[in-house]
Amino acid sequence: MPRVMKCPPIIAVLLFAGTLCACRKTAEPVATQTLPQARAGFVTKLIRKDSDGEPAPEPPEGVLQLVNYRGPLGGMPAYVTPRPAGGGRHPAIIWITGGFSNSISPVQWKPAPATNDQSARAFREAGIVTMYPSMRGGNDSPGFMENFYGEVDDVLAAVDYLAKLDYVDPARIYLGGHSTGGTVAMLVAESSDRFRAVFAFGPIDDVRHYDPKELGFDLSDPRESDLRSPVKWLQGIRTPVFALEGTDKPSNIGPLKTMAGASRNPLAHFIPVRGATHFTILAPVTSIIAQKILLDNGP
């Protein structure tokens, strides 16, 4: 049975979810370096150069606005919620939608059933400034898809953009993502402490568990995979991270358990949500987290 651990108040999800024990249960070796240290000087080798090439569609007026943020490779499109009414500085979240395209699309605003709503609309509907960035190779962004490598740097550039908006509280910027977006969120959390908290839904522990047809880097080089696999770098997490997944199929609950077993980091929390799947978890849990973010205004 999972052991319930004390977590910060923001994770009221524990009202209906257990927390996996973070004690070490696997033989996964602990890296002696952090992820940024291991990445220093490394140049990824892509075996194919995938990119979308299509401009980001214009979103509905008053719901989202199309902006351009400066990434490491140049300007990249993103959707951001309009300036909130009432003035002042507001909490914000960057949300990375699942899939391998690195693009933003109508998925971010079109109505979707509560059983599979990947838009994370709960955050913007709660009045939280929400940013959906494209990443390298997505839409008409420069570069090529690197599948969990250079995308980490793109997300860190997106937080730079958000932090400079005069209506965003730079001390209350969060990160969230689902599926592949959850894996990116984990890698970002292992690379930086820029975020107040990180919420990763359904991440993978080891990138080699994805379909090789979706991966454009050199899989014959173990280092390429290791630098993209969150389970290798959990000790580098320096801000609260909540990895969540439904226990019912379809589900990435196995990778969640693997990371829980490999982690010795008290800032990393692994939360199975009973009775939910990889998709049905999103609508109810993002709604709870959104309300907790609004109350998370203390030290």
Side-chain angles (χ1 to χ4, degrees):
M1 293 291 290
R3 177 171 62 88
V4 177
M5 300 162 55
K6 282 190 176 181
C7 296
I10 196 169
I11 202 64
V13 180
L14 289 178
L15 290 174
F16 59 96
T19 301
L20 291 170
C21 178
C23 54
R24 195 166 178 77
K25 297 178 182 176
T26 72
E28 184 67 42
V30 175
T32 57
Q33 295 178 303
T34 64
L35 181 54
Q37 289 170 340
R39 282 172 47 123
F42 182 80
V43 178
T44 188
K45 180 181 178 181
L46 300 180
I47 58 175
R48 64 174 189 261
K49 296 181 176 179
D50 294 334
S51 61
D52 184 340
E54 295 295 325
E58 284 286 344
E61 186 175 354
V63 177
L64 294 168
Q65 53 190 3
L66 180 61
V67 302
N68 197 268
Y69 77 99
R70 187 77 182 176
L73 303 182
M76 297 192 284
Y79 296 136
V80 180
T81 49
R83 178 186 292 271
R89 291 184 177 269
H90 300 260
I93 188 167
I94 293 172
W95 181 262
I96 311 298
T97 307
F100 289 90
S101 74
N102 284 3
S103 294
I104 52 176
S105 71
V107 168
Q108 275 78 44
W109 70 78
K110 279 193 171 180
T115 53
N116 185 13
D117 188 350
Q118 301 182 43
S119 69
R121 69 182 66 248
F123 298 113
R124 65 174 190 263
E125 289 177 351
I128 298 165
V129 177
T130 306
M131 180 179 186
Y132 306 91
S134 68
M135 297 176 289
R136 58 191 61 202
N139 298 113
D140 53 1
S141 296
F144 304 100
M145 301 171 195
E146 295 183 9
N147 306 124
F148 313 101
Y149 192 74
E151 290 81 358
V152 170
D153 300 316
D154 297 338
V155 175
L156 293 176
V159 75
D160 287 339
Y161 174 91
L162 265 187
K164 293 174 183 176
L165 297 178
D166 62 7
Y167 52 87
V168 167
D169 182 350
R172 297 174 67 202
I173 299 178
Y174 304 80
L175 174 64
H178 173 241
S179 200
T180 57
T183 303
V184 171
M186 291 289 297
L187 292 166
V188 172
E190 293 166 340
S191 303
S192 172
D193 61 357
R194 292 288 308 278
F195 296 92
R196 188 167 173 93
V198 176
F199 305 96
F201 287 80
I204 285 289
D205 58 324
D206 190 315
V207 74
R208 283 163 286 214
H209 293 161
Y210 287 121
D211 185 344
K213 295 178 182 178
E214 299 285 1
L215 304 176
F217 60 87
D218 185 4
L219 279 163
S220 67
D221 182 350
R223 194 176 178 194
E224 291 275 11
S225 297
D226 286 350
L227 293 176
R228 293 168 163 89
S229 297
V231 72
K232 304 285 185 179
W233 316 104
L234 295 167
Q235 81 285 354
I237 290 173
R238 292 175 290 154
T239 196
V241 172
F242 304 95
L244 310 101
E245 180 60 307
T247 59
D248 292 355
K249 295 181 180 180
S251 171
N252 287 336
I253 193 64
L256 193 79
K257 291 179 178 179
T258 297
M259 287 189 282
S263 178
R264 291 174 173 169
N265 192 328
L267 291 173
H269 308 278
F270 302 92
I271 302 166
V273 180
R274 295 185 296 273
T277 71
H278 187 64
F279 301 101
T280 62
I281 185 177
L282 287 168
V285 178
T286 54
S287 294
I288 290 173
I289 294 172
Q291 294 306 312
K292 288 299 174 179
I293 285 176
L294 295 178
L295 298 173
D296 184 33
N297 54 11

